[in-house]
Amino acid sequence: FRLSFFFFLFFFFNDTATTEIYTLSHTTLFRSMTENVSNLTTLFDQFFDQLKAAHPKIDPELLVKIMLFEKSLKDYVGPDLPHVHLDVKYEDGVDLKLKQEEGRDKFPIEVTTNKWGDAVIFSGLMGVRHVEKICVDPQIVKVTGNATPRHN
């Protein structure tokens, strides 16, 4: 047993790949990690800017959440769409009761006005493509909300 252990230690610390791992400088290691994070941050910032430009009325963080849940829910049994709650603000003077009725006619989700009477709520299982369809209304000013991976 001692002899085999000795050979293991000899091989392990004599192996050039192992030696290279232990001799890799920390500055080299951390510099490459920092560069990768920096590149990733730059890519995400570009993506986020493009998202805001493509959908200026919709909260971009909400869109990212919905996309993330859509992607991850495909791996599970059950609905592959997240539950999304949208608070849709319209231009001043728009009849929200009419927008609520139009929403109910067009979309198979819950549509109601909020308790303050200043926005219409769209709530149900939906993905980004559904949110985009809701937001084609030119009278919409801003869309905020929340997304969860399951119905609450």
Side-chain angles (χ1 to χ4, degrees), residues 69-82 125 129:
F69 289 137
E70 275 188 281
K71 183 138 183 74
S72 63
L73 287 172
K74 292 188 184 315
D75 297 335
Y76 298 97
V77 175
D80 63 349
L81 294 173
L125 297 178
R129 68 185 183 281

Side-chain angles (χ1 to χ4, degrees), residues 110-146:
E110 182 181 341
V111 182
T112 186
T113 53
N114 69 7
K115 63 183 175 182
W116 299 279
D118 64 352
V120 176
I121 295 171
F122 293 78
S123 186
L125 297 178
M126 62 180 111
V128 170
R129 68 185 183 281
H130 303 105
V131 175
E132 288 173 327
K133 286 180 185 176
I134 291 169
C135 294
V136 297
D137 187 331
Q139 294 179 309
I140 291 176
V141 174
K142 185 73 180 158
V143 178
T144 58
N146 195 17

Side-chain angles (χ1 to χ4, degrees), residues 50-102:
Q50 289 174 353
L51 197 59
K52 288 191 285 190
H55 300 291
K57 299 177 188 179
I58 307 170
D59 175 12
E61 290 180 23
L62 175 62
L63 287 173
V64 169
K65 265 187 174 178
I66 295 169
M67 284 187 258
L68 178 65
F69 289 137
E70 275 188 281
K71 183 138 183 74
S72 63
L73 287 172
K74 292 188 184 315
D75 297 335
Y76 298 97
V77 175
D80 63 349
L81 294 173
H83 185 267
V84 178
H85 176 96
L86 300 176
D87 294 303
V88 180
K89 300 266 187 187
Y90 289 88
E91 297 171 346
D92 289 336
V94 170
D95 183 353
L96 297 182
K97 293 289 185 191
L98 179 62
K99 291 297 179 181
Q100 175 184 328
E101 291 305 316
E102 288 174 356

